[in-house]
Amino acid sequence: DTDVFSDMGLIGERYRPQLAFLPIGGHYTMDPRGAAIAAQYLGVSDVVPMHYGTFPILTGTPAQLRDALAARGVGHVKVHELQPGQTFR
């Protein structure tokens, strides 16, 4: 759980992650716009959004993340919207 920070660019450069689990709730952590910036800094091809929709104050949505990624020019990043208990491969 974090907000976006510029050293995510160093993480992306050094470790070249392909997947990031990014919070998008927007109150205690980053919002969809911040998550899009983080995805761009990290250079990932896939994002699993997390920490959203469980409380009314966590208003970010996967759709907003897709829009924010497109607005940053990284709309090719795939958003995997998992349901509770669902696994990712």
Side-chain angles (χ1 to χ4, degrees), residues 14-71:
R14 181 154 167 87
Y15 299 105
R16 306 267 188 234
Q18 296 176 359
L19 171 68
F21 285 74
L22 298 174
I24 62 167
H27 182 74
Y28 302 105
T29 62
M30 65 183 92
D31 59 9
R33 184 172 167 263
I37 295 168
Q40 187 174 31
Y41 281 174
L42 292 165
V44 295
S45 57
D46 297 273
V47 171
V48 175
M50 61 181 197
H51 300 311
Y52 68 94
T54 54
F55 300 100
I57 199 166
L58 303 178
T59 59
T61 67
Q64 291 171 330
L65 175 57
R66 287 183 190 94
D67 291 344
L69 288 164

